[in-house]
Each structure stands twice: as C-alpha cells, then as structure tokens.
Amino acid sequence: MLIVMKQGATKEKIDGIIKMAEKRGYMARPIPGGDRVSIGILYNKGSVDAGHFLGLAGVKEVIPVTKPYKLVSREVQQDNTIVKIGDAVFGNGSLPVIAGPCAIESEDQALAIAKAVKKAGAQLFRGGAFKPRTSPYSFQGLGRQGLEILAKVRKETGLPVVTEIMDIEHFDMVEEYADLAQIGTRNMQNFSLLKRAGKSSIPVMLKRGMSATLEEWLMAAEYIMEEGNEQVILCERGVRTFVRHSRNTLDLSVILAVKKESHLPVIVDPSHAAGVRDQVMPLAFASSAVGADGLMIEVHHKPEEALSDGAQSLYPVQFELLMEKVNKIHDLTCAAAGEKS
Ligand code: PEP
Ligand code: MN
C-alpha cells in the first residue's frame, strides 16, 4: 500500500505516519516523488486497512499496491529513476552506450579498445575481470589484475567502468574499482549477492536471468532496492528459446512491459542476445526504436583472438558505424514519441 502525503507535508507528519505504521507491525519507507512524498508499506501480511491512515493529518490518499514488487513498481513511484554515471544518464530519454570487450585480457587490449570506443562516443567502458564461464577450462578472467587494468583505463580515458561481480566475497574489491556493478544473467536470483548489492554505494546493473519472467526479474531488483540501493539499471540480454539462429532471443517487448511496470531504467545488450556479430547492429537499432534507456555492446580490436565472446564482438570500425546510425534512430524515436503526445 502507498500512502501519498499532501504537497508540503512536514517531516514531522511523515515521521508520525511511519511510526504509526510501525506500531501496527508494518515496515514503512518514505519514497520522495516529484513534488510530494509517499510512504510505501512493506512487509504487510495480507491486506492493510487503508482506513487506519485515511484522514490523518498530511495524508492525501491511500493507494493499494496490487503488484508483488513494491519499491521497483511504477505504482509506488511514477517518475523515472535516473541513474547518472560520469556523463551518462540512464532513464532521462537519452541513449548512453556502454562498450568494451567481454573480458579484460591485458592492459594493451583494454586500452586499445577503450580508446576506440571512446572515440566512437561510448560513455562507459565494460570488461569482465571475473568471468562466469560455462566450462571450468575456459578463461576465467584476470581477477584483481583485471580490476587494476580497469582503473588504469578510467584514468587514461576518463570513462567510468562497468564490471561483473559473481561472488559476494569479491564485492568489496570490485566496489573499490568499478563505477557500476554488473550482476549477470546466471546470478539474477543469487539472493545473497542481490542483498549485498543493495548495500553498495555504487549503482547496480541487473541483467535478466536467461529464463526469468518479468516478475522474477523485477522481484530480483526489489531485493536490491529493499536493502537501500535505489540506483538500479535493468538490462535485457536475451532469453533462452528453441531457436538456433542466435545464441538467445532478444525480448524487445519486455522493454515496453518494464517501462509500464517499473520506474527503473532498462537497457539492452544485443551482443549476448545475438551471439553472432552480424545481428548486433540491427538489434541495437531495434532496441533504440522501442525506447531502451541505453545499450551495452561488446567490442574487440582483435575478436578472432578474444578469450571470450569473440564471435559476437564488433570490430571498432563496426562500432563506430553503429554509434553513428543508432543516434539517428534514437533522434527519430524521440521525435516520433514527441509527435504522439
Ligand atoms: C557479460 O556481460 O559478459 C555476460 C557474461 O553477460 P550475461 O550475464 O548476460 O551472459
Ligand atoms: Mn560476454
């Protein structure tokens, strides 16, 4: 349930309502909105009697929340959540692009790719230091050395960096280096990792589990928000289906559904959806056309030598072309949306 306070309700009034809710055994959380504060009632067993709160000083209205997720829900927060990292803004209608290799392999490799993607207009650099590989015999990432390389890339290029966290025990270490923490598809329902991410001071990018429903994905984001971290970006990266013509199937309609259900920004990673290079650019265009809040693209200067995901990594020159074209599509998408309203 959501208790919407009147415009200009004082802190005392808000605290009073929270105390009253807590006395009744609920957990209440203030949610600042555009021009007024709401109070979300969490942890209620069964329905909450709106009558307890209606008519109290400062209360404008009481709205039932019909969804199992609360903090991530648009019912609870109507305004988009905005996540700012460096110059990139996720959730304000712009199209920031994260780019880089699947894995950090060496300083030379990371710097060469980072310089190329920056030149093409990428706003964040990505690269895995801890890699979730299907086979234990595949390259597992450079670990801390990879993080140190990321820090060097940031220093030399000024690009903020994104990297995946697979284990709770690495969280402190990754937080020292990364500007955005990625939780990958395989860990979307690793609840202890999600709770730790919720305590983090850096924003979190939560990828959709490879067979997760929209509800499961949003509930996973709820775990992070419930612990206090409101800076969450969702990332659609394709789901597993019966098809063989791509690694996964990019679920573009989920972008529309997420935007309806949640205020969190949602970006698209067409690289892991496609699995093959030639599908990445068209899928990036389509993602922009449906209103994605950003893109994440794998790029490698020598993809044939890449230690992971070479087949789906774009050459820098292809990435440059992608950036040029996707920005035109983004402008058209914005113009079309403007015409509609
Ligand atoms: C990645 O981004 O390199 C990655 C492993 O992604 P996913 O978790 O979507 O497979
Ligand atoms: Mn990858």
Side-chain angles (χ1 to χ4, degrees):
M1 195 176 74
L2 191 68
I3 303 167
V4 183
M5 302 299 288
K6 287 182 185 154
Q7 213 169 343
T10 59
K11 186 171 178 317
E12 287 67 41
K13 291 222 167 81
I14 295 165
D15 289 348
I17 303 284
I18 291 176
K19 272 211 188 95
M20 176 172 279
E22 284 171 352
K23 247 196 201 152
R24 293 189 177 276
Y26 308 132
M27 189 195 150
R29 172 91 63 90
I31 302 162
D35 55 356
R36 57 168 58 91
V37 171
S38 299
I39 298 168
I41 302 288
L42 312 175
Y43 297 121
N44 50 300
K45 286 197 188 92
S47 62
V48 185
D49 186 352
H52 294 321
F53 303 97
L54 270 172
L56 294 180
V59 173
K60 179 171 180 271
E61 57 181 331
V62 177
I63 303 172
V65 176
T66 55
K67 301 290 160 59
Y69 34 86
K70 299 175 195 231
L71 298 171
V72 305
S73 168
R74 237 197 235 282
E75 284 185 324
V76 167
Q77 182 184 314
Q78 270 152 37
D79 301 336
N80 288 345
T81 284
I82 306 285
V83 180
K84 289 187 190 156
I85 306 162
D87 293 336
V89 185
F90 296 88
N92 71 343
S94 62
L95 189 74
V97 178
I98 304 169
C102 182
I104 300 297
E105 299 164 6
S106 68
E107 193 176 311
D108 288 349
Q109 172 247 19
L111 276 170
I113 300 169
K115 285 177 185 161
V117 299
K118 182 180 175 173
K119 191 166 145 258
Q123 286 174 301
L124 284 97
F125 180 71
R126 63 147 287 150
F130 298 97
K131 292 305 302 173
R133 303 305 299 276
T134 302
S135 164
Y137 308 117
S138 301
F139 176 60
Q140 305 285 306
L142 296 178
R144 189 188 277 276
Q145 193 198 341
L147 297 175
E148 279 161 6
I149 293 173
L150 281 169
K152 192 145 199 195
V153 166
R154 181 176 39 203
K155 200 165 164 230
E156 292 224 358
T157 64
L159 291 176
V161 297
V162 190
T163 201
E164 179 165 353
I165 302 186
M166 295 202 312
D167 300 295
I168 220 169
E169 75 220 49
H170 292 141
F171 226 109
D172 291 351
M173 196 204 303
V174 173
E175 265 173 340
E176 269 179 52
Y177 296 91
D179 299 287
L180 173 63
Q182 174 175 326
I183 294 187
T185 193
R186 293 158 186 84
N187 271 315
M188 189 206 81
Q189 281 188 318
N190 179 340
F191 297 114
S192 43
L193 190 66
L194 296 175
K195 285 184 179 183
R196 173 61 184 83
K199 294 194 175 78
S200 182
S201 55
I202 60 172
V204 177
M205 185 216 297
L206 178 65
K207 288 190 139 192
R208 181 182 182 185
M210 62 183 84
S211 15
T213 63
L214 170 61
E215 188 174 307
E216 287 164 342
W217 190 17
L218 293 179
M219 287 306 260
E222 186 83 13
Y223 266 87
I224 302 173
M225 287 196 74
E226 198 269 334
E227 291 289 338
N229 191 348
E230 292 169 359
Q231 295 281 284
V232 180
I233 300 169
L234 300 168
C235 177
E236 159 64 22
R237 46 79 71 201
V239 289
R240 187 166 280 190
T241 68
F242 49 86
V243 307
R244 301 249 169 128
H245 52 262
S246 57
R247 184 173 172 184
N248 290 289
T249 297
L250 183 62
D251 181 5
L252 282 175
S253 57
V254 87
I255 303 304
L256 306 168
V258 165
K259 285 177 168 288
K260 206 161 151 193
E261 293 296 314
S262 176
H263 49 83
L264 294 176
V266 56
I267 69 167
V268 176
D269 165 358
S271 304
H272 289 87
V276 285
R277 188 174 303 125
D278 60 350
Q279 293 181 5
V280 172
M281 211 185 300
L283 291 177
F285 299 161
S287 305
S288 167
V290 295
D293 291 306
L295 294 169
M296 182 157 83
I297 311 285
E298 282 189 344
V299 179
H300 201 292
H301 65 324
K302 292 179 187 162
E304 53 295 330
E305 290 172 22
L307 297 180
S308 67
D309 286 348
Q312 69 199 30
S313 298
L314 297 188
Y315 288 91
V317 48
Q318 292 177 308
F319 179 67
E320 237 174 81
L321 192 62
L322 180 152
M323 290 298 283
E324 202 182 291
K325 292 193 175 182
V326 86
N327 283 323
K328 289 188 185 150
I329 292 177
H330 180 245
D331 289 346
L332 277 177
T333 311
C334 295
E339 270 165 29
K340 222 173 73 184
S341 59

Coordinates of all heavy atoms in Angstrom, one line a residue, residues 129-187:
A129 N 36.4 -8.9 -15.2 CA 37.6 -9.4 -14.5 C 37.3 -10.8 -13.9 O 38.2 -11.6 -13.7 CB 38.0 -8.4 -13.5
F130 N 36.1 -11.0 -13.6 CA 35.6 -12.3 -13.1 C 34.6 -12.8 -14.1 O 33.5 -12.2 -14.3 CB 35.0 -12.2 -11.7 CG 35.9 -11.7 -10.7 CD1 36.0 -10.3 -10.3 CD2 36.8 -12.5 -10.1 CE1 36.8 -9.8 -9.4 CE2 37.7 -12.1 -9.1 CZ 37.7 -10.7 -8.8
K131 N 34.9 -13.9 -14.8 CA 34.0 -14.3 -15.9 C 33.2 -15.6 -15.5 O 33.8 -16.6 -15.1 CB 34.8 -14.6 -17.2 CG 35.5 -13.4 -17.8 CD 34.5 -12.3 -18.2 CE 33.4 -12.7 -19.1 NZ 32.4 -11.6 -19.3
P132 N 31.9 -15.5 -15.7 CA 31.1 -16.7 -15.4 C 31.1 -17.6 -16.7 O 30.4 -17.4 -17.6 CB 29.7 -16.1 -15.2 CG 29.7 -14.9 -16.0 CD 31.1 -14.4 -16.2
R133 N 32.0 -18.6 -16.8 CA 32.1 -19.4 -18.0 C 31.4 -20.7 -17.8 O 31.5 -21.3 -16.7 CB 33.6 -19.6 -18.3 CG 34.4 -18.3 -18.5 CD 33.8 -17.4 -19.5 NE 33.8 -17.9 -20.9 CZ 34.8 -17.9 -21.7 NH1 35.9 -17.4 -21.4 NH2 34.6 -18.4 -22.9
T134 N 30.8 -21.2 -18.9 CA 30.1 -22.5 -18.8 C 31.1 -23.6 -18.5 O 30.8 -24.5 -17.8 CB 29.4 -22.7 -20.2 OG1 28.5 -21.6 -20.4 CG2 28.6 -24.0 -20.2
S135 N 32.3 -23.5 -19.1 CA 33.3 -24.6 -18.8 C 34.4 -24.1 -17.8 O 34.9 -22.9 -17.9 CB 34.0 -24.9 -20.1 OG 35.2 -25.6 -19.8
P136 N 34.7 -24.9 -16.9 CA 35.8 -24.5 -15.9 C 37.2 -24.4 -16.6 O 38.1 -23.9 -16.0 CB 35.8 -25.6 -14.9 CG 35.2 -26.8 -15.5 CD 34.2 -26.3 -16.6
Y137 N 37.3 -25.0 -17.8 CA 38.5 -24.9 -18.5 C 38.7 -23.7 -19.4 O 39.7 -23.4 -20.0 CB 38.7 -26.2 -19.4 CG 38.4 -27.4 -18.6 CD1 37.4 -28.3 -18.9 CD2 39.2 -27.8 -17.5 CE1 37.1 -29.4 -18.2 CE2 39.0 -28.9 -16.8 CZ 37.9 -29.7 -17.1 OH 37.7 -30.8 -16.3
S138 N 37.6 -22.9 -19.5 CA 37.7 -21.6 -20.3 C 38.3 -20.5 -19.4 O 38.3 -20.6 -18.2 CB 36.3 -21.2 -20.7 OG 35.7 -22.2 -21.5
F139 N 38.8 -19.5 -20.1 CA 39.4 -18.3 -19.4 C 38.4 -17.8 -18.3 O 37.3 -17.4 -18.7 CB 39.7 -17.3 -20.5 CG 40.3 -16.0 -19.9 CD1 41.5 -16.0 -19.2 CD2 39.6 -14.8 -20.2 CE1 42.0 -14.8 -18.7 CE2 40.2 -13.6 -19.7 CZ 41.3 -13.6 -18.9
Q140 N 38.9 -17.7 -17.1 CA 38.0 -17.2 -16.0 C 38.1 -15.8 -15.7 O 37.5 -15.3 -14.8 CB 38.4 -18.1 -14.8 CG 38.3 -19.6 -15.0 CD 36.9 -20.1 -15.0 OE1 36.1 -19.9 -14.2 NE2 36.6 -20.8 -16.1
G141 N 39.0 -15.1 -16.4 CA 39.2 -13.6 -16.1 C 40.4 -13.4 -15.2 O 41.0 -14.3 -14.6
L142 N 40.9 -12.2 -15.2 CA 42.2 -11.9 -14.6 C 42.0 -11.5 -13.1 O 43.0 -11.2 -12.4 CB 42.9 -10.7 -15.3 CG 43.4 -10.9 -16.7 CD1 44.0 -9.6 -17.3 CD2 44.4 -12.1 -16.8
G143 N 40.8 -11.5 -12.6 CA 40.6 -11.1 -11.2 C 41.0 -9.7 -10.9 O 40.8 -8.8 -11.7
R144 N 41.7 -9.6 -9.7 CA 42.1 -8.3 -9.3 C 43.0 -7.5 -10.3 O 42.9 -6.3 -10.5 CB 42.9 -8.3 -7.9 CG 43.1 -7.0 -7.4 CD 44.0 -7.0 -6.2 NE 43.3 -7.3 -4.9 CZ 42.7 -6.4 -4.2 NH1 42.6 -5.1 -4.6 NH2 42.1 -6.7 -3.1
Q145 N 43.8 -8.3 -11.0 CA 44.7 -7.7 -12.0 C 43.8 -7.0 -13.1 O 44.1 -5.9 -13.6 CB 45.6 -8.7 -12.7 CG 46.7 -8.2 -13.5 CD 47.3 -9.2 -14.5 OE1 47.1 -10.4 -14.3 NE2 47.9 -8.8 -15.5
G146 N 42.7 -7.7 -13.4 CA 41.7 -7.1 -14.4 C 41.1 -5.8 -13.9 O 40.9 -4.8 -14.6
L147 N 40.8 -5.8 -12.6 CA 40.3 -4.6 -12.0 C 41.3 -3.4 -12.0 O 40.9 -2.3 -12.3 CB 39.8 -4.9 -10.5 CG 38.7 -5.9 -10.4 CD1 38.5 -6.1 -8.9 CD2 37.4 -5.4 -11.0
E148 N 42.5 -3.8 -11.8 CA 43.6 -2.7 -11.8 C 43.7 -2.2 -13.2 O 43.9 -1.0 -13.4 CB 44.9 -3.3 -11.3 CG 44.9 -3.3 -9.8 CD 46.0 -4.2 -9.2 OE1 46.8 -4.8 -9.9 OE2 45.9 -4.3 -7.9
I149 N 43.5 -3.0 -14.2 CA 43.6 -2.6 -15.6 C 42.4 -1.6 -15.9 O 42.5 -0.6 -16.5 CB 43.6 -3.7 -16.6 CG1 44.9 -4.5 -16.4 CG2 43.4 -3.3 -18.0 CD1 45.0 -5.8 -17.2
L150 N 41.2 -2.0 -15.3 CA 40.1 -1.1 -15.5 C 40.3 0.2 -14.9 O 39.9 1.3 -15.5 CB 38.8 -1.8 -14.8 CG 38.1 -2.9 -15.6 CD1 37.1 -3.6 -14.8 CD2 37.5 -2.3 -16.9
A151 N 40.9 0.3 -13.7 CA 41.2 1.5 -13.1 C 42.2 2.4 -14.0 O 42.0 3.6 -14.1 CB 41.9 1.3 -11.7
K152 N 43.1 1.7 -14.6 CA 44.0 2.4 -15.5 C 43.3 3.0 -16.7 O 43.5 4.1 -17.1 CB 45.1 1.4 -15.9 CG 46.3 2.1 -16.6 CD 47.6 1.4 -16.3 CE 48.7 2.3 -16.6 NZ 50.0 1.7 -16.6
V153 N 42.4 2.2 -17.2 CA 41.6 2.6 -18.4 C 40.8 3.9 -18.0 O 40.8 4.9 -18.7 CB 40.6 1.5 -18.8 CG1 39.5 2.1 -19.8 CG2 41.3 0.4 -19.5
R154 N 40.2 3.9 -16.8 CA 39.4 5.0 -16.4 C 40.3 6.2 -16.3 O 40.0 7.4 -16.7 CB 38.8 4.7 -15.0 CG 37.9 5.9 -14.6 CD 37.2 5.7 -13.3 NE 38.0 4.9 -12.4 CZ 37.5 4.2 -11.4 NH1 36.2 4.1 -11.2 NH2 38.3 3.5 -10.6
K155 N 41.5 6.0 -15.7 CA 42.5 7.1 -15.5 C 42.9 7.7 -16.9 O 42.9 8.9 -17.1 CB 43.7 6.6 -14.7 CG 44.4 7.7 -14.1 CD 45.4 7.2 -13.0 CE 46.4 8.3 -12.7 NZ 47.8 7.9 -12.8
E156 N 43.2 6.8 -17.8 CA 43.7 7.3 -19.1 C 42.6 7.9 -20.0 O 42.9 8.7 -20.8 CB 44.4 6.1 -19.8 CG 45.7 5.8 -19.1 CD 46.9 5.5 -20.0 OE1 46.7 5.6 -21.2 OE2 48.0 5.3 -19.4
T157 N 41.4 7.3 -19.9 CA 40.4 7.7 -20.9 C 39.3 8.6 -20.3 O 38.5 9.3 -21.0 CB 39.7 6.5 -21.5 OG1 39.0 5.8 -20.4 CG2 40.6 5.6 -22.2
G158 N 39.2 8.6 -18.9 CA 38.1 9.3 -18.3 C 36.8 8.6 -18.3 O 35.8 9.1 -17.8
L159 N 36.8 7.4 -18.9 CA 35.5 6.7 -19.0 C 35.2 5.9 -17.7 O 36.1 5.2 -17.2 CB 35.5 5.6 -20.1 CG 35.5 6.1 -21.6 CD1 35.7 4.9 -22.5 CD2 34.3 6.9 -21.9
P160 N 34.0 6.0 -17.1 CA 33.7 5.2 -16.0 C 33.6 3.7 -16.4 O 33.4 3.5 -17.6 CB 32.3 5.7 -15.6 CG 31.9 6.8 -16.4 CD 32.9 6.9 -17.6
V161 N 33.8 2.8 -15.5 CA 33.9 1.4 -15.9 C 32.9 0.5 -15.2 O 32.4 0.8 -14.1 CB 35.4 0.9 -15.5 CG1 36.4 1.6 -16.4 CG2 35.7 0.9 -14.1
V162 N 32.5 -0.5 -15.9 CA 31.5 -1.5 -15.5 C 32.1 -2.8 -15.5 O 32.8 -3.2 -16.5 CB 30.3 -1.6 -16.6 CG1 29.2 -2.4 -16.0 CG2 29.9 -0.2 -17.1
T163 N 31.9 -3.6 -14.4 CA 32.4 -5.0 -14.4 C 31.5 -5.9 -13.6 O 30.7 -5.4 -12.8 CB 33.9 -5.0 -13.9 OG1 34.5 -6.2 -14.4 CG2 33.9 -4.9 -12.4
E164 N 31.5 -7.2 -13.9 CA 30.6 -8.1 -13.3 C 31.1 -8.6 -11.9 O 32.3 -8.8 -11.8 CB 30.4 -9.3 -14.2 CG 29.5 -10.4 -13.6 CD 28.9 -11.4 -14.5 OE1 29.1 -11.3 -15.8 OE2 28.3 -12.4 -14.0
I165 N 30.2 -8.7 -11.0 CA 30.5 -9.3 -9.7 C 29.8 -10.6 -9.6 O 28.6 -10.7 -9.8 CB 30.0 -8.4 -8.5 CG1 30.7 -7.0 -8.7 CG2 30.4 -9.0 -7.2 CD1 30.4 -6.1 -7.5
M166 N 30.6 -11.7 -9.4 CA 29.9 -13.0 -9.4 C 29.8 -13.5 -7.9 O 28.9 -14.3 -7.7 CB 30.8 -14.0 -10.1 CG 30.9 -13.8 -11.6 SD 31.4 -15.2 -12.5 CE 32.8 -15.8 -11.6
D167 N 30.7 -13.1 -7.0 CA 30.6 -13.6 -5.7 C 30.6 -12.5 -4.7 O 31.2 -11.5 -4.8 CB 31.9 -14.4 -5.4 CG 32.1 -15.6 -6.4 OD1 31.3 -16.5 -6.3 OD2 33.0 -15.5 -7.2
I168 N 29.9 -12.8 -3.6 CA 29.7 -11.9 -2.5 C 31.1 -11.5 -1.9 O 31.4 -10.3 -1.6 CB 28.8 -12.5 -1.4 CG1 27.9 -11.4 -0.9 CG2 29.5 -13.2 -0.4 CD1 26.8 -12.0 -0.1
E169 N 32.0 -12.4 -1.9 CA 33.3 -12.2 -1.3 C 34.2 -11.2 -2.1 O 35.1 -10.6 -1.6 CB 34.1 -13.5 -1.1 CG 34.6 -14.1 -2.3 CD 34.5 -15.6 -2.3 OE1 33.4 -16.1 -2.1 OE2 35.5 -16.3 -2.6
H170 N 33.8 -11.0 -3.4 CA 34.5 -10.0 -4.2 C 33.9 -8.6 -4.2 O 34.4 -7.7 -4.9 CB 34.6 -10.6 -5.7 CG 35.5 -11.8 -5.8 ND1 35.2 -12.8 -6.6 CD2 36.6 -12.1 -5.1 CE1 36.1 -13.7 -6.5 NE2 37.0 -13.4 -5.6
F171 N 32.8 -8.5 -3.5 CA 32.1 -7.2 -3.7 C 32.9 -6.0 -3.2 O 33.0 -5.0 -3.9 CB 30.7 -7.3 -2.9 CG 29.6 -6.7 -3.7 CD1 28.6 -7.6 -4.2 CD2 29.6 -5.4 -4.0 CE1 27.6 -7.1 -5.0 CE2 28.5 -4.9 -4.8 CZ 27.6 -5.7 -5.3
D172 N 33.5 -6.2 -2.0 CA 34.3 -5.0 -1.5 C 35.4 -4.6 -2.5 O 35.6 -3.4 -2.8 CB 35.0 -5.4 -0.2 CG 34.0 -5.5 0.9 OD1 32.8 -5.2 0.7 OD2 34.4 -6.0 2.0
M173 N 36.1 -5.7 -3.1 CA 37.2 -5.4 -4.0 C 36.7 -4.7 -5.3 O 37.2 -3.7 -5.7 CB 37.8 -6.8 -4.4 CG 39.1 -6.7 -5.0 SD 39.5 -8.1 -6.1 CE 39.4 -9.5 -5.0
V174 N 35.6 -5.2 -5.8 CA 35.0 -4.6 -7.1 C 34.6 -3.2 -6.8 O 34.8 -2.3 -7.7 CB 33.9 -5.5 -7.7 CG1 33.3 -4.8 -8.9 CG2 34.5 -6.9 -8.1
E175 N 33.9 -3.0 -5.7 CA 33.5 -1.6 -5.4 C 34.6 -0.6 -5.4 O 34.4 0.6 -5.7 CB 32.8 -1.6 -4.0 CG 31.4 -1.8 -4.0 CD 30.8 -2.0 -2.6 OE1 31.6 -2.3 -1.6 OE2 29.6 -1.8 -2.4
E176 N 35.8 -1.0 -5.0 CA 36.9 -0.1 -5.0 C 37.3 0.4 -6.4 O 37.8 1.5 -6.6 CB 38.2 -0.9 -4.5 CG 38.4 -0.9 -3.1 CD 39.7 -1.7 -2.8 OE1 40.7 -1.4 -3.4 OE2 39.6 -2.6 -1.9
Y177 N 37.0 -0.4 -7.4 CA 37.4 -0.1 -8.8 C 36.3 0.3 -9.7 O 36.5 1.2 -10.6 CB 38.1 -1.3 -9.4 CG 39.4 -1.7 -8.7 CD1 39.4 -2.7 -7.7 CD2 40.6 -1.2 -9.1 CE1 40.5 -3.1 -7.1 CE2 41.8 -1.6 -8.5 CZ 41.7 -2.5 -7.5 OH 42.9 -2.9 -6.8
A178 N 35.1 -0.3 -9.5 CA 34.0 -0.1 -10.6 C 33.1 1.1 -10.3 O 32.9 1.5 -9.1 CB 33.2 -1.4 -10.7
D179 N 32.6 1.7 -11.3 CA 31.6 2.8 -11.2 C 30.2 2.2 -11.3 O 29.2 2.9 -10.9 CB 31.8 3.8 -12.3 CG 33.2 4.4 -12.2 OD1 33.4 5.2 -11.3 OD2 34.1 4.0 -13.0
L180 N 30.1 1.0 -11.8 CA 28.8 0.4 -12.0 C 29.0 -1.1 -11.8 O 29.9 -1.7 -12.5 CB 28.2 0.7 -13.4 CG 26.9 -0.1 -13.8 CD1 25.7 0.3 -12.9 CD2 26.5 0.3 -15.3
A181 N 28.3 -1.8 -11.0 CA 28.5 -3.2 -10.7 C 27.5 -4.0 -11.5 O 26.3 -3.7 -11.4 CB 28.3 -3.5 -9.2
Q182 N 28.0 -5.0 -12.3 CA 27.1 -5.8 -13.1 C 26.8 -7.1 -12.4 O 27.7 -7.8 -11.9 CB 27.7 -6.0 -14.5 CG 27.0 -7.0 -15.4 CD 27.7 -7.1 -16.7 OE1 28.2 -6.1 -17.2 NE2 27.6 -8.3 -17.3
I183 N 25.5 -7.4 -12.3 CA 25.1 -8.8 -11.9 C 24.6 -9.5 -13.1 O 23.7 -9.0 -13.8 CB 24.0 -8.7 -10.8 CG1 24.7 -8.1 -9.5 CG2 23.5 -10.1 -10.4 CD1 23.8 -8.1 -8.3
G184 N 25.2 -10.6 -13.4 CA 25.0 -11.3 -14.7 C 23.7 -12.2 -14.7 O 23.1 -12.4 -13.6
T185 N 23.4 -12.7 -15.9 CA 22.2 -13.5 -16.0 C 22.2 -14.7 -15.1 O 21.1 -15.1 -14.6 CB 22.1 -13.9 -17.5 OG1 20.8 -14.4 -17.8 CG2 23.1 -14.9 -17.9
R186 N 23.3 -15.3 -14.9 CA 23.4 -16.5 -14.1 C 23.2 -16.2 -12.6 O 22.9 -17.1 -11.8 CB 24.7 -17.2 -14.3 CG 24.9 -17.8 -15.7 CD 26.3 -18.0 -16.1 NE 26.4 -18.4 -17.5 CZ 26.5 -17.5 -18.5 NH1 26.4 -16.2 -18.3 NH2 26.6 -17.9 -19.8
N187 N 23.4 -15.0 -12.2 CA 23.2 -14.7 -10.8 C 22.0 -13.8 -10.5 O 21.9 -13.3 -9.4 CB 24.5 -13.9 -10.3 CG 25.6 -14.8 -9.9 OD1 25.3 -15.7 -9.1 ND2 26.8 -14.6 -10.3

